[in-house]
Amino acid sequence: MSAVELIASFVATGRLYGVGVGSTLEELQQRIKFDFVDVLDEDGDSMRRDYGFIEFYLNSGQNWTVSGGSIEMHRLVVHEELIEQWCAAMGEEFPKFLGWDELRTEISRLPDAPTFRLIDQGDFLEYRAPMAKVSVLVNNDHEERGDWLGHGDVWSISLG
């Protein structure tokens, strides 16, 4: 599966590498084998597991469980080394830039492709897939892609 197919599946299902809301920390550790940093909140009630451009948010309780997550595509523009490192560890080569049109085409190929609710946020357009509880934030400024994201490029994909 290509990284774009993986991202499309995440948008449609709310699961990335089989991890989604309700997954345990143990399941997350089994499925994603990559260096990370855990950031606990002051009270120790929630945690962010940061893999560089992919993050999962967890809440404590009897077990740490996933409450959300995101793929921060904009981080790949300035941290290109993550692309190669992630590919070596996980097998998918994420693109430095991903246009919404390319991602939407891939999503449309899925058997249960979601419908989107569009929310205009000025500099960003949010495409929300309500059933999967996933939002795709797309750059809506009028700049062309260059050293930075351009109009129509995916900024991030968020679960929660």
Side-chain angles (χ1 to χ4, degrees):
M1 174 181 300
S2 74
V4 176
E5 291 169 329
L6 180 73
I7 295 167
S9 175
F10 177 50
V11 172
T13 66
R15 301 190 78 72
L16 183 64
Y17 296 103
V19 175
V21 172
S23 295
T24 65
L25 179 58
E26 183 179 333
E27 291 171 318
L28 179 58
Q29 291 173 165
Q30 289 172 353
R31 292 188 172 96
I32 300 186
K33 307 289 187 189
F34 195 77
D35 291 337
F36 59 87
V37 173
D38 284 338
V39 180
L40 285 167
D41 74 348
E42 290 180 9
D43 300 324
D45 295 333
S46 63
M47 175 174 66
R48 176 174 50 92
R49 177 155 287 185
D50 187 340
Y51 295 97
F53 72 103
I54 293 176
E55 299 178 343
F56 285 95
Y57 316 112
L58 299 103
N59 292 327
S60 66
Q62 292 198 2
N63 286 316
W64 285 100
T65 56
V66 173
S67 61
S70 63
I71 303 173
E72 303 292 334
M73 296 298 296
H74 62 277
R75 290 186 185 169
L76 295 175
V77 177
V78 293
H79 298 289
E80 291 181 63
E81 71 281 359
L82 286 172
I83 295 170
E84 188 175 307
Q85 293 167 356
W86 190 268
C87 185
M90 298 296 294
E92 287 83 23
E93 184 173 348
F94 278 74
K96 180 177 174 180
F97 296 102
L98 176 60
W100 169 241
D101 289 342
E102 179 183 358
L103 179 56
R104 186 148 189 172
T105 297
E106 196 60 48
I107 293 167
S108 72
R109 293 183 178 130
L110 297 171
D112 293 322
T115 56
F116 293 97
R117 188 179 68 197
L118 175 60
I119 302 165
D120 187 339
Q121 297 184 8
D123 286 344
F124 294 96
L125 297 175
E126 178 183 355
Y127 292 90
R128 178 95 177 136
M131 297 297 290
K133 298 180 182 170
V134 174
S135 289
V136 180
L137 207 56
V138 176
N139 189 359
N140 193 34
D141 69 17
H142 298 290
E143 299 294 320
E144 289 191 33
R145 183 187 293 166
D147 291 336
W148 189 241
L149 301 174
H151 180 79
D153 282 328
V154 174
W155 179 268
S156 65
I157 303 101
S158 300
L159 168 64

